Amino acid sequence: GNDEFDKFHGIRSIKGLEHDSKEEYLKSVGGWFFGLNPGQSTKHLEILVEEMETCDVVIIGGDPFNEISLGVYKGLAPYAALIITLTKFLQKPSVLYNIHMGRQLKTPVGIELAKYCIENANLVTLREEFSLQAIKDLNIATSSCTIAADSAYGLDPVNDFDLGLKILKDEGIK
């Protein structure tokens, strides 16, 4: 987890299946989630399960349903599906938080993963009506879905163009 983030939001977050650093991720390109590749430590997987066993709810945020990277145990949608599966095993409620369906899903695998996650989550909060309609258009049940405001509306903008350019440069984004 991130102590500063957790304190600010009054939550406790834990490390999931992402790699420890950008460098570690780049070394494993073509591999699976961290801990699922031969030779990688699985200690964080034990901690993940232990923490999930004692939590009140598991929250998956962001935009897991895109088809940038779909594969077995790699990519955002498979990550969400794996976590939803763990919540089922551990009998914990799950929330897909602040979902935006901005890219139309086209592949059968992408649609199936979105359907699995949305229909198995206890609650799905969506950023806008558009996302609800996109889910309906894919013939995915929406009984767990509700529209809430985009959480980015609560952010205070920083109007510093140079700072933005510096962040992009520091992150290697052209």
Side-chain angles (χ1 to χ4, degrees), residues 32-163:
W32 301 295
F33 296 131
F34 182 60
L36 302 183
N37 298 289
Q40 287 180 336
S41 171
T42 58
K43 182 64 180 167
H44 71 287
L45 300 178
E46 295 171 41
I47 294 169
L48 177 68
V49 171
E50 288 169 7
E51 292 291 334
M52 286 178 71
E53 287 175 331
T54 63
C55 75
D56 297 319
V57 63
V58 175
I59 301 171
I60 302 166
D63 288 323
F65 308 121
N66 66 55
E67 295 169 322
I68 293 171
S69 173
L70 285 177
V72 176
Y73 299 120
K74 55 183 150 184
L76 298 174
Y79 188 109
L82 184 57
I83 297 299
I84 292 287
T85 301
L86 284 172
T87 67
K88 292 290 194 175
F89 274 107
L90 299 172
Q91 299 179 9
K92 294 294 176 176
S94 60
V95 175
L96 292 172
Y97 173 73
N98 209 28
I99 303 300
H100 171 68
M101 301 294 288
R103 292 188 175 133
Q104 181 66 31
L105 297 175
K106 296 181 181 175
T107 68
V109 171
I111 294 167
E112 185 69 21
L113 287 168
K115 178 180 177 70
Y116 173 79
C117 291
I118 291 167
E119 291 185 358
N120 279 285
N122 296 87
L123 174 65
V124 179
T125 66
L126 304 167
R127 294 183 194 174
E128 66 283 298
E129 181 74 34
F130 166 83
S131 291
L132 181 63
Q133 189 57 54
I135 292 168
K136 288 179 180 178
D137 290 347
L138 294 170
N139 294 317
I140 297 173
T142 59
S143 59
S144 63
C145 297
T146 188
I147 299 170
D150 187 330
S151 60
Y153 289 132
L155 297 176
D156 292 327
V158 176
N159 294 317
D160 185 336
F161 186 78
D162 292 331
L163 175 61

Side-chain angles (χ1 to χ4, degrees), residues 9-25:
H9 292 285
I11 63 168
R12 191 170 90 222
S13 63
I14 57 171
K15 179 174 178 12
L17 301 172
E18 61 278 341
H19 293 267
D20 287 332
S21 67
K22 191 173 193 176
E23 292 77 26
E24 287 296 314
Y25 167 73

